[in-house]
Amino acid sequence: MLRIMAVTKDHSVLLQPPVESLSDDNVAWYWVDFINPDEEEIQLLSSNFHFHPLAIEDCLQFLQRPKLEYYQGYSFFVVHALNTHSLSAQEVDLFIGENFIVSFHFDELKELESTWNYFQDVRDYSAIGPIEVGHKIMDKIVDTYFPIVQNIEDHLLDIENNYEKGNKHSLIQQTFDVRSDLLKVRRSIFPMRDLIYRVLESKRFMISEHKKAYFHDIYDHLIKLSEMIDSNREMTSDIRDNYISLNSYKMNNIMKTLTVITTIFMPLTFIAGIYGMNFRYMPELNWHAGYFIILGCMVFLGLSMYFWFRKKGWFDQE
């Protein structure tokens, strides 16, 4: 599907004019939005707009990283929106020239819909052009990153707050899920940050200082998002390390307890082994009270070792 908005030189807007009329002299600039286009509409990228084959190829091959490339007469942007449920990247391609902007995407995106409605209802188009439309699209896309990252952060805080009383195995699994979500989001946000930085520092994508301030605002948002992601990743690492440390601590206590028990029973087993050999000439076997004497010695030895280990602090649960 194609939707077209053309602004004339007298600052009036034309909705859905024929594609052929976009080159008329009375058209100041225009925006063509390709939404899940069919083969015939895709052909317009080359036949009508004459975009470079490599840029068209990037449009058709998904999972391009956010980037900026320069061609004769226009700049080509690849930006990423994020699906709020799956956190998968949804690619939006932008061709921005002096008097046109062409957006291309296969998914129906609320960011593009909101931007389209915004410019459709503008009363004064005298200070608006393709740069403003491109900025608005990127700004809307970046704004939708915040609820996604904040939801992940809230989930992580819930895990941390419930760590002491919750099921440790379930919580650590949730922590790894959060870490995976952060990685998905990071793959889009960090390249977007680098993209906007290139826009601000570019000598070829020429924009006024006034307009550059708006892109700088997007860049500040992306810096904030990057810091939030890094902070949350560090928190997941801390929870993971705490879980591993706690498991190691518990295992050490278990091993210490088992070692003490084994150590106590070693001499008792030795004594029982000696008198279990049943040699004929073992004088203690003929003692009338031999069984009770040896049993008493074993109890005394076991209790003595127990209290000695207890005094040494081996039974303390630190």
Side-chain angles (χ1 to χ4, degrees):
M1 182 180 80
L2 260 67
R3 55 183 176 183
I4 304 173
M5 178 188 301
V7 177
T8 62
K9 291 182 178 179
D10 59 0
H11 307 308
S12 60
V13 62
L14 304 175
L15 296 177
Q16 294 304 117
V19 175
E20 297 77 13
S21 66
L22 297 177
S23 58
D24 291 350
D25 292 338
N26 68 320
V27 174
W29 64 271
Y30 58 86
W31 177 15
V32 180
D33 187 25
F34 288 77
I35 308 173
N36 192 20
D38 55 31
E39 288 296 329
E40 183 179 351
E41 291 169 339
I42 291 174
Q43 290 300 321
L44 293 175
L45 293 175
S46 58
S47 63
N48 190 273
F49 297 103
H50 308 293
F51 292 138
H52 197 281
L54 290 178
I56 298 174
E57 182 181 350
D58 285 342
C59 291
L60 302 179
Q61 292 183 349
F62 186 56
L63 292 182
Q64 297 288 327
R65 285 172 58 86
K67 63 180 181 178
L68 167 60
E69 293 181 349
Y70 302 104
Y71 294 96
Q72 186 65 36
Y74 61 91
S75 299
F76 175 65
F77 293 81
V78 177
V79 297
H80 279 181
L82 287 175
N83 185 294
T84 54
H85 300 291
S86 65
L87 303 184
S88 58
Q90 298 173 303
E91 185 177 310
V92 180
D93 304 294
L94 301 174
F95 300 85
I96 301 179
E98 186 177 351
N99 65 334
F100 67 86
I101 177 170
V102 175
S103 53
F104 185 98
H105 50 101
F106 286 104
D107 300 301
E108 292 190 9
L109 302 173
K110 61 182 181 180
E111 296 89 342
L112 270 293
E113 189 66 30
S114 174
T115 304
W116 181 270
N117 293 334
Y118 174 82
F119 284 104
Q120 184 175 294
D121 297 333
V122 168
R123 294 181 179 274
D124 183 12
Y125 290 90
S126 59
I128 295 176
I131 297 295
E132 284 72 24
V133 176
H135 164 265
K136 194 70 174 180
I137 292 173
M138 296 180 198
D139 187 48
K140 288 288 184 182
I141 288 175
V142 171
D143 284 345
T144 59
Y145 291 164
F146 276 99
I148 294 173
V149 176
Q150 288 166 351
N151 286 338
I152 296 175
E153 188 174 63
D154 291 342
H155 187 193
L156 189 57
L157 290 174
D158 288 339
I159 293 173
E160 188 178 35
N161 293 334
N162 295 324
Y163 189 76
E164 294 299 327
K165 56 185 178 181
N167 182 292
K168 298 293 189 297
H169 181 74
S170 173
L171 291 176
I172 200 64
Q173 184 60 50
Q174 293 180 49
T175 301
F176 281 113
D177 291 340
V178 168
R179 191 173 178 84
S180 176
D181 291 342
L182 287 170
L183 182 59
K184 291 179 183 178
V185 175
R186 190 179 190 275
R187 287 173 181 159
S188 292
I189 291 180
F190 277 60
M192 281 289 290
R193 181 192 65 185
D194 296 339
L195 167 64
I196 300 300
Y197 180 79
R198 281 196 63 192
V199 171
L200 293 172
E201 298 298 321
S202 175
K203 302 301 182 183
R204 298 182 61 182
F205 189 73
M206 300 300 294
I207 53 178
S208 65
E209 289 299 322
H210 173 70
K211 294 178 181 179
K212 188 175 290 188
Y214 290 94
F215 283 94
H216 207 289
D217 181 64
I218 298 177
Y219 182 70
D220 289 341
H221 288 171
L222 289 167
I223 290 291
K224 175 63 176 177
L225 287 164
S226 301
E227 292 173 349
M228 291 172 66
I229 290 173
D230 286 339
S231 174
N232 290 330
R233 278 173 59 85
E234 288 178 8
M235 191 180 299
T236 59
S237 297
D238 290 342
I239 293 175
R240 179 195 60 193
D241 293 342
N242 288 341
Y243 175 77
I244 294 173
S245 299
L246 182 61
N247 276 353
S248 298
Y249 173 76
K250 289 181 177 179
M251 183 60 69
N252 287 337
N253 278 336
I254 292 171
M255 292 303 296
K256 183 172 68 174
T257 302
L258 292 176
T259 300
V260 170
I261 293 172
T262 302
T263 304
I264 291 174
F265 274 90
M266 281 176 63
L268 307 184
T269 305
F270 175 72
I271 295 173
I274 289 178
Y275 289 102
M277 291 188 292
N278 293 322
F279 286 111
R280 179 179 297 180
Y281 301 106
M282 293 180 68
E284 295 89 347
L285 295 179
N286 296 320
W287 292 356
H288 181 72
Y291 169 77
F292 299 102
I293 293 173
I294 296 301
L295 190 62
C297 290
M298 293 171 69
V299 171
F300 174 78
L301 183 61
L303 290 175
S304 299
M305 294 182 68
Y306 169 78
F307 286 111
W308 185 72
F309 286 135
R310 187 178 183 87
K311 184 179 180 180
K312 290 289 186 180
W314 282 34
F315 287 101
D316 295 341
Q317 298 294 324
E318 298 175 355

